Amino acid sequence: MTKKYNVLGLFSILFLTVTIGFAQDKTVPVFKDGEAQPVQGFTDTNDWIRHDLWVETTFDTDKDGKLDRMHVAVTRPKQTDTEGLKLPIIYVTSPYFAGVAGDVPGVMWDVEHELGDIGKERVHPEVIRRGERPIISNSHLRKWVPRGYIVVHSSSPGTGLSDGAPTIGGPNEALAPKAVIDWLCGRAKGFTERDGNEPVEAFWSTGKVGMTGTSYNGTLPLAAATTGVAGLEAIIPIAPNTSSYHYYRSNGLVRSPGGYLGEDIDVLYDFVHSGAEDKRAGNNKRVRDTEMKNGMDRQTGDLNDFWNNRDYLNQMAPMKAALLMSHGFNDWNVMPEHSNRIYQKAKEMGLPTQLYYHQNGHGGPPPMTMMNRWFTHYLHGVDNGVENDKQVWIVRENDKHENPTAYDAYPNPNAKDVTLFPNKGGNSIGTLTTKKNKRQKTETLVDDFRISAKEHAQIVGSKNRLLYATPNLTRDLHISGEAEVTISLSSSKSAANLSIMLVSLPYENDAKVITDNIITRGWADPQNYKSIRDSEPLEKGKFYDVTFKLQPDDQIIRAGQQIGIIIFSSDKEFTLHPKPGTELTIDLDKTSLTIPVVGGLEAFTRATK
């Protein structure tokens, strides 16, 4: 009896030893200092398993009587097959993967016409679809697969091999990634073919999904998150367009994104519409030529329900995903307000939130360490303390991208509003002071779109703009938050553009860094002085008080510089171009600029002594 027991005991020990040895040979994710590390067993691209499939959605936007299916591509380590390994997902979706329309002459809206007109009909290009199965995109693979993630890509509705129609912010663009996440979590159907019935299951998924992307590809993670879909644990949107209205309009004004003069929402629709050729005509008729044509309103630029329904700020209530956002303060394409407004709401909702701001232009992800820690915690479940890190990280002037400065919040909690008032002399350079002088009366500028904002800043004297500046700063001054202007004006015509630019003077042609010249800028339609939903023609000779915020910023203005405000009408790079000659008369007694200064009035006073 004893002998038999010893034999069984020996067998148990041998079995345990073999089992432990086998377990140690398995390839698993490795973590160090709270970050997922590249693992040798995951790095050989020849061993990666790559396949595609179609996920069934809950909508039919191409109106063919069948639920739209999204084309999905998967890249995963071989161990998900050979060792039964389950891993979390990094998911990227886009309308761009299958190619875009060419920049043909006439594709943009004509901008040289009077305000309230539309201009001539534009050209509608066709997209020549590119790409072959099973690869949709190779983005993010080398960054995440070696660190123990599966990377999934999908094409947006009406693009590539996905069914449906593009809507540029419509409900289907949020429900499409939701369906893919539902499939990754075992709640939706996947098929091997676009029209087939052979099922595909995500047996290799842990059910933990993170999303990231830049620009439009950064918008879609937020879109998915607003559905509240279970399994989407964390998102990292980079320079996301969070509101189509804020992208194509500004305070009631028709305004183009920087670098794309004349673009509007229907232009972007044509640009990405790479889906099935036999569905395009029907999609165009329903979406572009009906919904968009009736809703976009290039005549007035007013906010309406069409635009409101394409604003993700209005849809955030169900959102649960942890949010790390990245944006550039000098992004004049997708402007920094897009991320700031979402950050403020997420903070108010109590969501895990971090914000990374840099001083450059469009794009620019957070440092890899920040992204890695974010996904390591929320997708792998590693307790690395990322939720206790500082909430805001800002790359200071001349610092490297990887070396941001940490702050408790944005705007800087120590920032306080300082109100400044213009003093006569704006056609040359008037002063800008904290003291309000009475009975200064008015100064006038004449609109001329042919003069650029840069030229307005550099010309010593001009009838086409008004410029007011502080004394030379005797020490550095830190601005953090949103500046606000109140401009009291009358117009010689019933409609006029109003453009504002804050600059650091002197405005240098050979500036070494992007922050040396432009501080921030903004645009508004004086016809919307009461509300951006309702405009009314301006009465000649009547003064209107127009108040609006400029783009958010966080910048240190160097000692020796001046802070200047330029008031002008049409902006050559951003607004419509009406015939030159409209006169704007500014009532200086009722005009002001409020800037958020770290240290408030005391700091401003010290810096201008």
Side-chain angles (χ1 to χ4, degrees), residues 416-456:
K416 298 178 182 177
D417 286 343
V418 174
T419 300
L420 306 175
F421 303 96
N423 293 277
K424 266 188 153 334
N427 290 124
S428 52
I429 302 181
T431 58
L432 192 61
T433 64
T434 57
K435 182 180 179 182
K436 184 175 184 179
N437 294 319
K438 297 180 179 179
R439 288 181 293 216
Q440 294 193 93
K441 297 187 178 178
T442 63
E443 294 195 316
T444 300
L445 64 93
V446 179
D447 182 29
D448 191 339
F449 73 84
R450 296 168 296 187
I451 304 172
S452 69
K454 174 183 175 180
E455 291 172 308
H456 284 314

mmCIF file of all heavy atoms in Angstrom, residues 416-456:
data_model
loop_
_atom_site.group_PDB
_atom_site.id
_atom_site.type_symbol
_atom_site.label_atom_id
_atom_site.label_comp_id
_atom_site.label_asym_id
_atom_site.label_seq_id
_atom_site.Cartn_x
_atom_site.Cartn_y
_atom_site.Cartn_z
ATOM 1 N N LYS A 416 -5.731 83.037 -14.688
ATOM 2 C CA LYS A 416 -6.862 83.925 -14.401
ATOM 3 C C LYS A 416 -7.015 84.921 -15.548
ATOM 4 O O LYS A 416 -6.035 85.321 -16.182
ATOM 5 C CB LYS A 416 -6.643 84.668 -13.081
ATOM 6 C CG LYS A 416 -6.551 83.746 -11.868
ATOM 7 C CD LYS A 416 -6.281 84.537 -10.599
ATOM 8 C CE LYS A 416 -6.145 83.611 -9.390
ATOM 9 N NZ LYS A 416 -5.814 84.356 -8.153
ATOM 10 N N ASP A 417 -8.250 85.315 -15.790
ATOM 11 C CA ASP A 417 -8.525 86.219 -16.909
ATOM 12 C C ASP A 417 -7.989 87.620 -16.644
ATOM 13 O O ASP A 417 -8.154 88.172 -15.543
ATOM 14 C CB ASP A 417 -10.025 86.299 -17.165
ATOM 15 C CG ASP A 417 -10.568 85.041 -17.829
ATOM 16 O OD1 ASP A 417 -9.759 84.265 -18.370
ATOM 17 O OD2 ASP A 417 -11.805 84.849 -17.809
ATOM 18 N N VAL A 418 -7.366 88.173 -17.668
ATOM 19 C CA VAL A 418 -6.915 89.568 -17.653
ATOM 20 C C VAL A 418 -7.534 90.251 -18.864
ATOM 21 O O VAL A 418 -7.357 89.788 -19.999
ATOM 22 C CB VAL A 418 -5.381 89.665 -17.713
ATOM 23 C CG1 VAL A 418 -4.943 91.123 -17.835
ATOM 24 C CG2 VAL A 418 -4.741 89.006 -16.490
ATOM 25 N N THR A 419 -8.287 91.319 -18.629
ATOM 26 C CA THR A 419 -8.969 92.020 -19.720
ATOM 27 C C THR A 419 -8.141 93.219 -20.170
ATOM 28 O O THR A 419 -7.686 94.023 -19.353
ATOM 29 C CB THR A 419 -10.367 92.473 -19.287
ATOM 30 O OG1 THR A 419 -11.134 91.322 -18.910
ATOM 31 C CG2 THR A 419 -11.079 93.183 -20.430
ATOM 32 N N LEU A 420 -7.961 93.300 -21.496
ATOM 33 C CA LEU A 420 -7.164 94.365 -22.104
ATOM 34 C C LEU A 420 -8.040 95.176 -23.047
ATOM 35 O O LEU A 420 -8.991 94.657 -23.641
ATOM 36 C CB LEU A 420 -5.981 93.768 -22.871
ATOM 37 C CG LEU A 420 -5.066 92.829 -22.087
ATOM 38 C CD1 LEU A 420 -4.011 92.219 -23.011
ATOM 39 C CD2 LEU A 420 -4.388 93.571 -20.938
ATOM 40 N N PHE A 421 -7.691 96.454 -23.190
ATOM 41 C CA PHE A 421 -8.502 97.370 -24.002
ATOM 42 C C PHE A 421 -7.631 98.052 -25.049
ATOM 43 O O PHE A 421 -6.496 98.459 -24.761
ATOM 44 C CB PHE A 421 -9.145 98.425 -23.101
ATOM 45 C CG PHE A 421 -9.993 97.838 -22.006
ATOM 46 C CD1 PHE A 421 -9.470 97.641 -20.736
ATOM 47 C CD2 PHE A 421 -11.304 97.457 -22.249
ATOM 48 C CE1 PHE A 421 -10.240 97.089 -19.722
ATOM 49 C CE2 PHE A 421 -12.081 96.903 -21.248
ATOM 50 C CZ PHE A 421 -11.542 96.719 -19.975
ATOM 51 N N PRO A 422 -8.153 98.184 -26.276
ATOM 52 C CA PRO A 422 -7.383 98.842 -27.346
ATOM 53 C C PRO A 422 -7.440 100.362 -27.212
ATOM 54 O O PRO A 422 -8.454 100.922 -26.789
ATOM 55 C CB PRO A 422 -8.086 98.369 -28.613
ATOM 56 C CG PRO A 422 -9.507 98.154 -28.187
ATOM 57 C CD PRO A 422 -9.446 97.674 -26.759
ATOM 58 N N ASN A 423 -6.348 100.996 -27.599
ATOM 59 C CA ASN A 423 -6.282 102.447 -27.603
ATOM 60 C C ASN A 423 -5.958 102.930 -29.011
ATOM 61 O O ASN A 423 -5.259 102.272 -29.772
ATOM 62 C CB ASN A 423 -5.203 102.933 -26.635
ATOM 63 C CG ASN A 423 -5.565 102.620 -25.191
ATOM 64 O OD1 ASN A 423 -6.301 103.343 -24.540
ATOM 65 N ND2 ASN A 423 -5.035 101.497 -24.686
ATOM 66 N N LYS A 424 -6.443 104.092 -29.350
ATOM 67 C CA LYS A 424 -6.415 104.614 -30.721
ATOM 68 C C LYS A 424 -5.058 104.443 -31.402
ATOM 69 O O LYS A 424 -4.013 104.487 -30.764
ATOM 70 C CB LYS A 424 -6.778 106.095 -30.697
ATOM 71 C CG LYS A 424 -8.252 106.351 -30.941
ATOM 72 C CD LYS A 424 -8.462 107.836 -31.092
ATOM 73 C CE LYS A 424 -9.618 108.276 -31.923
ATOM 74 N NZ LYS A 424 -10.143 107.471 -32.938
ATOM 75 N N GLY A 425 -5.123 104.239 -32.712
ATOM 76 C CA GLY A 425 -3.902 104.104 -33.509
ATOM 77 C C GLY A 425 -3.789 102.770 -34.197
ATOM 78 O O GLY A 425 -2.714 102.395 -34.662
ATOM 79 N N GLY A 426 -4.881 102.033 -34.306
ATOM 80 C CA GLY A 426 -4.836 100.668 -34.803
ATOM 81 C C GLY A 426 -4.471 100.523 -36.261
ATOM 82 O O GLY A 426 -4.045 99.436 -36.678
ATOM 83 N N ASN A 427 -4.629 101.580 -37.084
ATOM 84 C CA ASN A 427 -4.204 101.450 -38.478
ATOM 85 C C ASN A 427 -2.677 101.439 -38.591
ATOM 86 O O ASN A 427 -2.136 101.016 -39.611
ATOM 87 C CB ASN A 427 -4.780 102.569 -39.337
ATOM 88 C CG ASN A 427 -6.286 102.425 -39.522
ATOM 89 O OD1 ASN A 427 -7.052 103.348 -39.213
ATOM 90 N ND2 ASN A 427 -6.737 101.271 -40.004
ATOM 91 N N SER A 428 -2.001 101.905 -37.551
ATOM 92 C CA SER A 428 -0.555 101.668 -37.435
ATOM 93 C C SER A 428 -0.407 100.618 -36.341
ATOM 94 O O SER A 428 -0.644 99.450 -36.579
ATOM 95 C CB SER A 428 0.197 102.959 -37.128
ATOM 96 O OG SER A 428 -0.371 103.621 -36.000
ATOM 97 N N ILE A 429 -0.043 101.016 -35.103
ATOM 98 C CA ILE A 429 -0.081 100.097 -33.966
ATOM 99 C C ILE A 429 -0.568 100.865 -32.746
ATOM 100 O O ILE A 429 0.156 101.718 -32.200
ATOM 101 C CB ILE A 429 1.306 99.474 -33.658
ATOM 102 C CG1 ILE A 429 1.845 98.719 -34.877
ATOM 103 C CG2 ILE A 429 1.188 98.497 -32.483
ATOM 104 C CD1 ILE A 429 3.200 98.056 -34.635
ATOM 105 N N GLY A 430 -1.790 100.603 -32.324
ATOM 106 C CA GLY A 430 -2.308 101.197 -31.105
ATOM 107 C C GLY A 430 -1.865 100.394 -29.897
ATOM 108 O O GLY A 430 -1.364 99.272 -30.020
ATOM 109 N N THR A 431 -2.038 100.966 -28.728
ATOM 110 C CA THR A 431 -1.621 100.261 -27.517
ATOM 111 C C THR A 431 -2.754 99.379 -26.999
ATOM 112 O O THR A 431 -3.931 99.582 -27.299
ATOM 113 C CB THR A 431 -1.192 101.250 -26.418
ATOM 114 O OG1 THR A 431 -2.282 102.135 -26.129
ATOM 115 C CG2 THR A 431 0.018 102.049 -26.849
ATOM 116 N N LEU A 432 -2.363 98.403 -26.190
ATOM 117 C CA LEU A 432 -3.286 97.441 -25.588
ATOM 118 C C LEU A 432 -2.959 97.415 -24.099
ATOM 119 O O LEU A 432 -1.878 96.979 -23.695
ATOM 120 C CB LEU A 432 -3.087 96.066 -26.224
ATOM 121 C CG LEU A 432 -4.116 94.971 -25.964
ATOM 122 C CD1 LEU A 432 -5.496 95.375 -26.479
ATOM 123 C CD2 LEU A 432 -3.677 93.674 -26.652
ATOM 124 N N THR A 433 -3.883 97.918 -23.291
ATOM 125 C CA THR A 433 -3.588 98.102 -21.871
ATOM 126 C C THR A 433 -4.726 97.583 -21.002
ATOM 127 O O THR A 433 -5.833 97.327 -21.481
ATOM 128 C CB THR A 433 -3.381 99.601 -21.557
ATOM 129 O OG1 THR A 433 -4.605 100.313 -21.797
ATOM 130 C CG2 THR A 433 -2.270 100.193 -22.413
ATOM 131 N N THR A 434 -4.432 97.470 -19.700
ATOM 132 C CA THR A 434 -5.462 97.041 -18.750
ATOM 133 C C THR A 434 -6.366 98.194 -18.348
ATOM 134 O O THR A 434 -7.409 97.971 -17.731
ATOM 135 C CB THR A 434 -4.811 96.453 -17.485
ATOM 136 O OG1 THR A 434 -3.932 97.417 -16.916
ATOM 137 C CG2 THR A 434 -4.039 95.185 -17.808
ATOM 138 N N LYS A 435 -5.998 99.407 -18.710
ATOM 139 C CA LYS A 435 -6.800 100.585 -18.369
ATOM 140 C C LYS A 435 -7.737 100.920 -19.520
ATOM 141 O O LYS A 435 -7.328 101.002 -20.677
ATOM 142 C CB LYS A 435 -5.899 101.787 -18.085
ATOM 143 C CG LYS A 435 -6.674 103.028 -17.669
ATOM 144 C CD LYS A 435 -5.737 104.195 -17.387
ATOM 145 C CE LYS A 435 -6.514 105.434 -16.999
ATOM 146 N NZ LYS A 435 -5.609 106.598 -16.757
ATOM 147 N N LYS A 436 -9.005 101.096 -19.193
ATOM 148 C CA LYS A 436 -10.000 101.425 -20.209
ATOM 149 C C LYS A 436 -10.119 102.933 -20.327
ATOM 150 O O LYS A 436 -10.520 103.618 -19.390
ATOM 151 C CB LYS A 436 -11.353 100.814 -19.845
ATOM 152 C CG LYS A 436 -12.425 101.021 -20.898
ATOM 153 C CD LYS A 436 -13.709 100.274 -20.531
ATOM 154 C CE LYS A 436 -14.749 100.406 -21.624
ATOM 155 N NZ LYS A 436 -15.998 99.667 -21.309
ATOM 156 N N ASN A 437 -9.750 103.467 -21.493
ATOM 157 C CA ASN A 437 -9.874 104.899 -21.735
ATOM 158 C C ASN A 437 -11.238 105.201 -22.338
ATOM 159 O O ASN A 437 -11.727 104.470 -23.209
ATOM 160 C CB ASN A 437 -8.773 105.385 -22.692
ATOM 161 C CG ASN A 437 -7.408 105.266 -22.070
ATOM 162 O OD1 ASN A 437 -7.223 105.566 -20.885
ATOM 163 N ND2 ASN A 437 -6.435 104.813 -22.852
ATOM 164 N N LYS A 438 -11.864 106.251 -21.898
ATOM 165 C CA LYS A 438 -13.214 106.582 -22.344
ATOM 166 C C LYS A 438 -13.177 107.539 -23.535
ATOM 167 O O LYS A 438 -12.221 108.270 -23.747
ATOM 168 C CB LYS A 438 -14.006 107.207 -21.200
ATOM 169 C CG LYS A 438 -14.218 106.266 -20.016
ATOM 170 C CD LYS A 438 -15.009 106.949 -18.921
ATOM 171 C CE LYS A 438 -15.242 106.009 -17.740
ATOM 172 N NZ LYS A 438 -16.003 106.673 -16.654
ATOM 173 N N ARG A 439 -14.259 107.523 -24.269
ATOM 174 C CA ARG A 439 -14.514 108.434 -25.380
ATOM 175 C C ARG A 439 -13.424 108.421 -26.444
ATOM 176 O O ARG A 439 -12.967 109.456 -26.916
ATOM 177 C CB ARG A 439 -14.738 109.856 -24.856
ATOM 178 C CG ARG A 439 -16.068 110.002 -24.146
ATOM 179 C CD ARG A 439 -16.271 111.394 -23.671
ATOM 180 N NE ARG A 439 -15.322 111.760 -22.609
ATOM 181 C CZ ARG A 439 -15.623 112.538 -21.581
ATOM 182 N NH1 ARG A 439 -16.826 113.038 -21.473
ATOM 183 N NH2 ARG A 439 -14.725 112.842 -20.682
ATOM 184 N N GLN A 440 -13.011 107.189 -26.809
ATOM 185 C CA GLN A 440 -12.041 107.059 -27.906
ATOM 186 C C GLN A 440 -12.729 107.013 -29.268
ATOM 187 O O GLN A 440 -12.100 107.157 -30.302
ATOM 188 C CB GLN A 440 -11.221 105.778 -27.735
ATOM 189 C CG GLN A 440 -10.338 105.795 -26.511
ATOM 190 C CD GLN A 440 -9.358 104.657 -26.586
ATOM 191 O OE1 GLN A 440 -8.251 104.821 -27.069
ATOM 192 N NE2 GLN A 440 -9.781 103.492 -26.133
ATOM 193 N N LYS A 441 -14.022 106.725 -29.203
ATOM 194 C CA LYS A 441 -14.836 106.651 -30.417
ATOM 195 C C LYS A 441 -14.422 105.474 -31.304
ATOM 196 O O LYS A 441 -14.252 104.372 -30.814
ATOM 197 C CB LYS A 441 -14.824 107.991 -31.156
ATOM 198 C CG LYS A 441 -15.437 109.103 -30.315
ATOM 199 C CD LYS A 441 -15.583 110.378 -31.092
ATOM 200 C CE LYS A 441 -16.235 111.458 -30.225
ATOM 201 N NZ LYS A 441 -16.349 112.749 -30.948
ATOM 202 N N THR A 442 -14.224 105.692 -32.601
ATOM 203 C CA THR A 442 -14.132 104.562 -33.526
ATOM 204 C C THR A 442 -12.868 104.603 -34.379
ATOM 205 O O THR A 442 -12.243 105.662 -34.553
ATOM 206 C CB THR A 442 -15.354 104.542 -34.466
ATOM 207 O OG1 THR A 442 -15.348 105.725 -35.269
ATOM 208 C CG2 THR A 442 -16.651 104.480 -33.677
ATOM 209 N N GLU A 443 -12.552 103.397 -34.927
ATOM 210 C CA GLU A 443 -11.520 103.279 -35.961
ATOM 211 C C GLU A 443 -12.055 102.319 -37.031
ATOM 212 O O GLU A 443 -12.886 101.446 -36.737
ATOM 213 C CB GLU A 443 -10.197 102.776 -35.388
ATOM 214 C CG GLU A 443 -9.579 103.785 -34.431
ATOM 215 C CD GLU A 443 -8.114 103.511 -34.122
ATOM 216 O OE1 GLU A 443 -7.757 102.337 -33.883
ATOM 217 O OE2 GLU A 443 -7.346 104.492 -34.104
ATOM 218 N N THR A 444 -11.582 102.486 -38.252
ATOM 219 C CA THR A 444 -12.159 101.772 -39.388
ATOM 220 C C THR A 444 -11.102 100.979 -40.144
ATOM 221 O O THR A 444 -9.948 101.403 -40.265
ATOM 222 C CB THR A 444 -12.836 102.763 -40.359
ATOM 223 O OG1 THR A 444 -13.879 103.452 -39.659
ATOM 224 C CG2 THR A 444 -13.433 102.050 -41.568
ATOM 225 N N LEU A 445 -11.530 99.816 -40.649
ATOM 226 C CA LEU A 445 -10.681 99.018 -41.543
ATOM 227 C C LEU A 445 -11.473 98.698 -42.800
ATOM 228 O O LEU A 445 -12.714 98.671 -42.786
ATOM 229 C CB LEU A 445 -10.207 97.741 -40.853
ATOM 230 C CG LEU A 445 -11.268 96.711 -40.447
ATOM 231 C CD1 LEU A 445 -11.465 95.648 -41.528
ATOM 232 C CD2 LEU A 445 -10.884 96.034 -39.135
ATOM 233 N N VAL A 446 -10.758 98.452 -43.892
ATOM 234 C CA VAL A 446 -11.378 98.133 -45.186
ATOM 235 C C VAL A 446 -10.988 96.712 -45.564
ATOM 236 O O VAL A 446 -9.801 96.372 -45.619
ATOM 237 C CB VAL A 446 -10.928 99.115 -46.279
ATOM 238 C CG1 VAL A 446 -11.576 98.754 -47.617
ATOM 239 C CG2 VAL A 446 -11.263 100.547 -45.887
ATOM 240 N N ASP A 447 -11.985 95.882 -45.835
ATOM 241 C CA ASP A 447 -11.731 94.475 -46.137
ATOM 242 C C ASP A 447 -10.996 94.310 -47.463
ATOM 243 O O ASP A 447 -11.319 94.968 -48.448
ATOM 244 C CB ASP A 447 -13.068 93.723 -46.191
ATOM 245 C CG ASP A 447 -12.888 92.224 -46.449
ATOM 246 O OD1 ASP A 447 -11.830 91.680 -46.057
ATOM 247 O OD2 ASP A 447 -13.809 91.614 -47.022
ATOM 248 N N ASP A 448 -9.997 93.398 -47.465
ATOM 249 C CA ASP A 448 -9.319 93.017 -48.694
ATOM 250 C C ASP A 448 -8.712 91.633 -48.492
ATOM 251 O O ASP A 448 -7.658 91.482 -47.870
ATOM 252 C CB ASP A 448 -8.227 94.027 -49.065
ATOM 253 C CG ASP A 448 -7.693 93.809 -50.474
ATOM 254 O OD1 ASP A 448 -7.852 92.688 -51.008
ATOM 255 O OD2 ASP A 448 -7.111 94.754 -51.037
ATOM 256 N N PHE A 449 -9.386 90.610 -49.038
ATOM 257 C CA PHE A 449 -8.959 89.232 -48.803
ATOM 258 C C PHE A 449 -7.590 88.929 -49.410
ATOM 259 O O PHE A 449 -6.945 87.942 -49.068
ATOM 260 C CB PHE A 449 -9.997 88.254 -49.363
ATOM 261 C CG PHE A 449 -10.023 88.171 -50.867
ATOM 262 C CD1 PHE A 449 -9.141 87.353 -51.565
ATOM 263 C CD2 PHE A 449 -10.940 88.903 -51.598
ATOM 264 C CE1 PHE A 449 -9.163 87.281 -52.940
ATOM 265 C CE2 PHE A 449 -10.977 88.839 -52.978
ATOM 266 C CZ PHE A 449 -10.076 88.027 -53.659
ATOM 267 N N ARG A 450 -7.129 89.776 -50.323
ATOM 268 C CA ARG A 450 -5.861 89.508 -50.998
ATOM 269 C C ARG A 450 -4.658 89.687 -50.079
ATOM 270 O O ARG A 450 -3.562 89.221 -50.377
ATOM 271 C CB ARG A 450 -5.732 90.415 -52.226
ATOM 272 C CG ARG A 450 -6.803 90.145 -53.286
ATOM 273 C CD ARG A 450 -6.838 91.229 -54.333
ATOM 274 N NE ARG A 450 -7.217 92.532 -53.770
ATOM 275 C CZ ARG A 450 -7.460 93.633 -54.482
ATOM 276 N NH1 ARG A 450 -7.375 93.575 -55.820
ATOM 277 N NH2 ARG A 450 -7.794 94.767 -53.904
ATOM 278 N N ILE A 451 -4.885 90.341 -48.946
ATOM 279 C CA ILE A 451 -3.796 90.559 -47.984
ATOM 280 C C ILE A 451 -3.855 89.448 -46.947
ATOM 281 O O ILE A 451 -4.879 89.247 -46.295
ATOM 282 C CB ILE A 451 -3.930 91.935 -47.311
ATOM 283 C CG1 ILE A 451 -3.977 93.038 -48.375
ATOM 284 C CG2 ILE A 451 -2.781 92.167 -46.332
ATOM 285 C CD1 ILE A 451 -4.298 94.410 -47.815
ATOM 286 N N SER A 452 -2.766 88.725 -46.760
ATOM 287 C CA SER A 452 -2.743 87.592 -45.835
ATOM 288 C C SER A 452 -2.654 88.072 -44.391
ATOM 289 O O SER A 452 -2.257 89.215 -44.111
ATOM 290 C CB SER A 452 -1.554 86.681 -46.139
ATOM 291 O OG SER A 452 -0.338 87.323 -45.802
ATOM 292 N N ALA A 453 -2.992 87.194 -43.478
ATOM 293 C CA ALA A 453 -2.894 87.516 -42.052
ATOM 294 C C ALA A 453 -1.453 87.846 -41.674
ATOM 295 O O ALA A 453 -1.195 88.741 -40.861
ATOM 296 C CB ALA A 453 -3.419 86.339 -41.224
ATOM 297 N N LYS A 454 -0.520 87.114 -42.247
ATOM 298 C CA LYS A 454 0.902 87.375 -41.990
ATOM 299 C C LYS A 454 1.280 88.792 -42.416
ATOM 300 O O LYS A 454 1.982 89.514 -41.688
ATOM 301 C CB LYS A 454 1.745 86.356 -42.746
ATOM 302 C CG LYS A 454 3.245 86.586 -42.681
ATOM 303 C CD LYS A 454 3.976 85.544 -43.531
ATOM 304 C CE LYS A 454 5.465 85.821 -43.578
ATOM 305 N NZ LYS A 454 6.187 84.822 -44.409
ATOM 306 N N GLU A 455 0.790 89.216 -43.585
ATOM 307 C CA GLU A 455 1.084 90.570 -44.058
ATOM 308 C C GLU A 455 0.441 91.602 -43.139
ATOM 309 O O GLU A 455 1.045 92.658 -42.861
ATOM 310 C CB GLU A 455 0.590 90.737 -45.494
ATOM 311 C CG GLU A 455 1.386 89.921 -46.505
ATOM 312 C CD GLU A 455 0.757 89.942 -47.886
ATOM 313 O OE1 GLU A 455 -0.458 89.638 -47.999
ATOM 314 O OE2 GLU A 455 1.470 90.249 -48.858
ATOM 315 N N HIS A 456 -0.772 91.343 -42.661
ATOM 316 C CA HIS A 456 -1.412 92.256 -41.713
ATOM 317 C C HIS A 456 -0.535 92.449 -40.477
ATOM 318 O O HIS A 456 -0.485 93.545 -39.903
ATOM 319 C CB HIS A 456 -2.768 91.708 -41.284
ATOM 320 C CG HIS A 456 -3.858 91.869 -42.297
ATOM 321 N ND1 HIS A 456 -4.079 93.040 -42.984
ATOM 322 C CD2 HIS A 456 -4.818 91.005 -42.737
ATOM 323 C CE1 HIS A 456 -5.118 92.904 -43.797
ATOM 324 N NE2 HIS A 456 -5.577 91.666 -43.674
#
